[in-house]
Amino acid sequence: PALWRDDETLTPTSTSTPTPTRRIQALPKTVVDRIAAGEVVQRPASVVKELIENSLDAKSTLIDVACTAGGMRVLTIADDGCGIHPAD
């Protein structure tokens, strides 16, 4: 079953016809830059943990983790989760 419905992307405006809106809003560039400046990957394991949590949130039933050089060179995670709606 779908996790969203097409009509959920519509939001009513004051007196006009409903217009499409994104459920996930992009942050302003200034906020993105401030967040990125504070992000430091301490260990590849912390990245794997976060990405596996994302996979589980996406209702994945199969998660494949592959790495090279302990994750310092290549870290790949693939899953069968539902992902983000294309409109978002």
Side-chain angles (χ1 to χ4, degrees):
L3 297 179
W4 63 83
R5 297 187 332 237
D6 288 336
D7 62 338
E8 289 177 337
T9 62
L10 300 178
T11 347
T13 54
S14 54
T15 56
S16 63
T17 310
T19 55
T21 185
R22 294 175 66 147
R23 290 180 299 273
I24 299 174
Q25 301 298 315
L27 295 172
K29 184 173 178 358
T30 55
V31 175
V32 171
D33 291 344
R34 288 192 345 224
I35 293 170
E39 277 190 34
V40 176
V41 175
Q42 299 281 333
R43 298 174 296 139
S46 61
V47 174
V48 171
K49 177 185 176 288
E50 180 65 28
L51 294 175
I52 288 175
E53 288 173 353
N54 292 350
S55 294
L56 294 172
D57 289 343
K59 309 291 187 239
S60 299
T61 58
L62 176 67
I63 303 170
D64 182 51
V65 179
C67 66
T68 302
M72 297 300 289
R73 194 158 230 258
V74 176
L75 181 59
T76 305
I77 298 183
D79 65 47
D80 64 347
C82 61
I84 297 175
H85 189 282
D88 294 332

